[in-house]
Amino acid sequence: DSDSAGTVHFHLPPGVYNAVARPDGDSAYGQAALAGVNLVADTAVQLVLPRAILLTGTVRDADGMAPILEVRVYASNREGGSNSGSALVRSDGTFTIKLTEGVYDITSRFSRSGGLATMHGEYTFDQDTHLDLELAEGKELTVEVRDPKGNLVAGAEIVVLSPDGDWVAATLTGQERGGRMEVQYGTY
């Protein structure tokens, strides 16, 4: 049951529960969480919604060009919990993430190919903030797949993994050449 005054009623079996309040996307408030509600009798709890902070920005490549498409920007709250966020960069190279006040690690990565994250640093947000982010410069890796006679093989999937076995990028070999992809400087 719920009412129009911001109260909701649940009928649950006894146990320990977590509660999260997520206002709609246009709200001026961020989400709030409450952990470890021990329900042994009728219980009332209160979640206080913090003021939302908008993180906006533009993503550029290492040469300072924009827009960069298919990139997701992540804001990870240093205190953990549910106050982290992410956004896919729009066609004009901009992004908006709704956060709450706190300290965040900002990273980005190409969303389609995965790839290693570009670390942009640690930021403290206590008001709406605009950041211009620049992706780390990539290096071209060309992989030729050949049969025992030395002919190029088309349609072979090439997957690049980090030394820890994490998926970094993937592509298919073409008709006339090997697979090409751009990856950040590192060991694979």
Side-chain angles (χ1 to χ4, degrees):
D1 299 329
S2 66
D3 62 29
S4 62
T7 302
V8 65
H9 305 275
F10 294 98
H11 299 279
L12 303 168
V16 178
Y17 295 91
N18 299 328
V20 177
R22 292 185 182 107
D24 69 34
D26 296 329
S27 173
Y29 301 103
Q31 67 182 23
L34 183 62
V37 177
N38 190 6
L39 186 61
V40 294
D42 289 347
T43 303
V45 296
Q46 189 177 65
L47 287 169
V48 178
L49 298 177
R51 184 179 70 81
I53 294 171
L54 292 181
L55 171 60
T56 60
T58 304
V59 178
R60 302 176 192 284
D61 67 12
D63 296 325
M65 304 300 288
I68 299 296
L69 302 178
E70 298 181 5
V71 170
R72 182 166 289 277
V73 177
Y74 298 87
S76 302
N77 190 300
R78 298 287 294 218
E79 296 176 6
S82 59
N83 293 325
S84 297
S86 71
L88 190 61
V89 172
R90 294 183 285 272
S91 62
D92 62 355
T94 62
F95 66 91
T96 301
I97 304 173
K98 187 161 84 169
L99 304 170
T100 56
E101 189 172 313
V103 179
Y104 291 82
D105 289 321
I106 305 299
T107 59
S108 62
R109 72 174 66 225
F110 283 97
S111 61
R112 186 172 56 155
S113 65
L116 296 177
T118 297
M119 308 297 202
H120 300 286
E122 177 183 297
Y123 295 86
T124 299
F125 300 119
D126 59 5
Q127 62 184 358
D128 291 352
T129 303
H130 181 87
L131 292 178
D132 285 325
L133 304 176
E134 195 170 281
L135 298 181
E137 182 177 359
K139 304 296 181 191
E140 184 176 89
L141 171 65
T142 302
V143 178
E144 293 183 350
V145 177
R146 296 186 178 270
D147 66 19
K149 293 182 180 180
N151 300 311
L152 289 171
V153 177
E157 181 180 31
I158 307 296
V159 178
V160 177
L161 304 173
S162 73
D164 296 331
D166 295 327
W167 187 81
V168 173
T171 190
L172 295 175
T173 58
Q175 295 287 338
E176 300 295 325
R177 60 180 176 85
R180 293 176 176 263
M181 61 191 84
E182 186 173 302
V183 295
Q184 293 179 13
Y185 178 80
T187 303
Y188 300 100

